[in-house]
Amino acid sequence: MDKHQLLNRVQSMIQSSTKKPKYMTISSVKVADLFDVKPEEVEKGLQELVKDGLLKQSKLDNPPHHDIYLMP
């Protein structure tokens, strides 16, 4: 999985979000369908982007408590 391509896709998804501040719940299954890879590869790529400081990861305070991604 190309991290640069994944980062570009996730950043565009976050930027198009109407939420304030801008964040996005990323479905690894949907992104995997776009890139024709396994969802596990997308999850691994997202975690690497968070580890590298290119994305921030948080959890929603209210139910359903999804993981969300923000731009640093």
Side-chain angles (χ1 to χ4, degrees):
M1 165 116 254
D2 181 11
K3 282 189 346 184
H4 182 69
Q5 192 177 18
L6 177 61
L7 178 62
N8 285 338
R9 175 65 67 156
V10 170
Q11 283 180 334
S12 67
M13 292 169 73
I14 293 170
Q15 289 171 346
S16 68
S17 172
T18 59
K19 300 166 183 76
K20 302 235 188 269
K22 291 188 178 276
Y23 66 87
M24 193 73 185
T25 302
I26 307 294
S27 168
S28 57
V29 174
K30 289 182 183 178
V31 175
D33 282 345
L34 291 171
F35 290 115
D36 197 29
V37 296
K38 294 181 181 180
E40 295 82 22
E41 290 182 52
V42 173
E43 283 295 326
K44 181 181 175 189
L46 288 171
Q47 294 309 314
E48 288 177 10
L49 293 173
V50 169
K51 181 181 168 188
D52 294 345
L54 299 171
L55 288 177
K56 289 184 180 181
Q57 183 179 17
S58 186
K59 242 186 201 324
L60 289 175
D61 294 331
N62 300 322
H65 303 291
H66 286 298
D67 288 330
I68 59 171
Y69 293 91
L70 307 102
M71 292 175 28

